[in-house]
Structures are given as C-alpha cells and as structure tokens.
Amino acid sequence: MNKVQLNELMHLKNQGRSYGEIASALSLSKGTVKSFFSRKKQKSVGSYMVCKNCGVALARMCDNKKFCSDSCRYKWWRQNTEGNRKHLKISICKNCGKELKCYDNKNRKYCSHACYIDDRFKRQARSVTDDGRTI
C-alpha cells in the first residue's frame, strides 16, 4: 500500500465506510483492509491521531500513541489525575502517627521503611524482659 492509498483508506474509514466498501473503492481485498486496521489498532479511527495534551498531530498515526512526547504525557497526567484517583486510602502511620496517602497498597501501615524498622525493633526490645524471657 502506498501513501496515497493509506490517506484514502483513512479518509474513507473516517466517513464511516465498511471494510468491504473501502476495499472495493481502493481495489484491495477486504482482508487487506481489515488486517491493516487490526494490526494498527485503528478499528475506530478518528480523523488523525493528535496529542491529548497539546493537540499536535502525531508523526506516526499508525501506532497506538496518545501523546507527542513524554513531557506532554506527564503534563496531561498531572492535570487530569490530581484528586481523581479511585483507590486512594488515607491512614495513619503505625509508628510515628503521620497521615499517609497510599494509591497502590491498601494494607500499608507505615509511612516509610525506616518507620517499619523502628517500630519492629522497638516492639521486640519491649517484649524481652530483664531475665531474657519474651512476653
């Protein structure tokens, strides 16, 4: 497939044409058209792929890219996910009492590894009596 056919293929798909109609218009087989869209993950194609953050047309419209660069992806992420996290858990650190926000681990008990170690070894030291017995 050459660039002219690719542009026409995208144009016809954007008009809502079926794979059979596109194939007959471009003198291609229906399987070729169908495999193009399935390989390129463009089954429901918008006009052209543009960056979700800045709106610049992406250089490779065949990839499943959503952003033109990492900096645009980071900017979009910061703007659109702040306060919009579904699994946010706010709890109190078991050792120091600080409030901690955790997105990935709902069972988190400590704000840091240092607090975990501090609490663990303090507890062990408290549980051993003077004569060496554990309580």
Side-chain angles (χ1 to χ4, degrees):
M1 236 184 289
N2 59 27
K3 288 185 179 186
V4 174
Q5 284 179 322
L6 285 176
N7 287 336
E8 187 63 25
L9 186 112
M10 298 300 285
H11 179 69
L12 292 171
K13 184 64 179 169
N14 290 335
Q15 290 179 349
R17 303 275 179 97
S18 69
Y19 293 146
E21 292 171 343
I22 295 170
S24 63
L26 298 176
S27 301
L28 299 170
S29 71
K30 184 178 176 181
T32 302
V33 174
K34 188 175 180 179
S35 67
F36 171 78
F37 286 110
S38 66
R39 269 195 330 267
K40 304 305 181 187
K41 297 179 182 174
Q42 296 273 341
K43 291 181 181 172
S44 58
V45 177
S47 69
Y48 282 99
M49 301 300 276
V50 294
C51 178
K52 286 177 78 172
N53 186 49
C54 64
V56 172
L58 298 177
R60 303 181 84 199
M61 66 181 181
C62 296
D63 287 345
N64 198 17
K65 287 186 172 185
K66 296 177 182 174
F67 302 98
C68 62
S69 65
D70 285 340
S71 62
C72 268
R73 182 168 49 92
Y74 296 142
K75 286 176 188 175
W76 184 88
W77 181 258
R78 278 188 233 109
Q79 290 171 355
N80 293 292
T81 60
E82 192 63 38
N84 195 15
R85 307 263 175 118
K86 292 180 182 177
H87 301 290
L88 173 66
K89 180 185 176 192
I90 300 172
S91 59
I92 306 296
C93 177
K94 194 174 176 181
N95 184 45
C96 66
K98 287 183 186 175
E99 183 180 274
L100 61 113
K101 296 178 182 178
C102 187
Y103 299 106
D104 55 349
N105 185 354
K106 294 179 182 180
N107 299 320
R108 188 171 173 184
K109 297 175 186 172
Y110 301 98
C111 63
S112 66
H113 183 69
C115 272
Y116 163 72
I117 295 297
D118 189 39
D119 187 50
R120 179 178 176 185
F121 290 110
K122 275 184 187 176
R123 194 171 341 134
Q124 283 182 355
R126 285 183 293 217
S127 65
V128 176
T129 61
D130 292 334
D131 58 356
R133 294 182 302 146
T134 57
I135 301 174

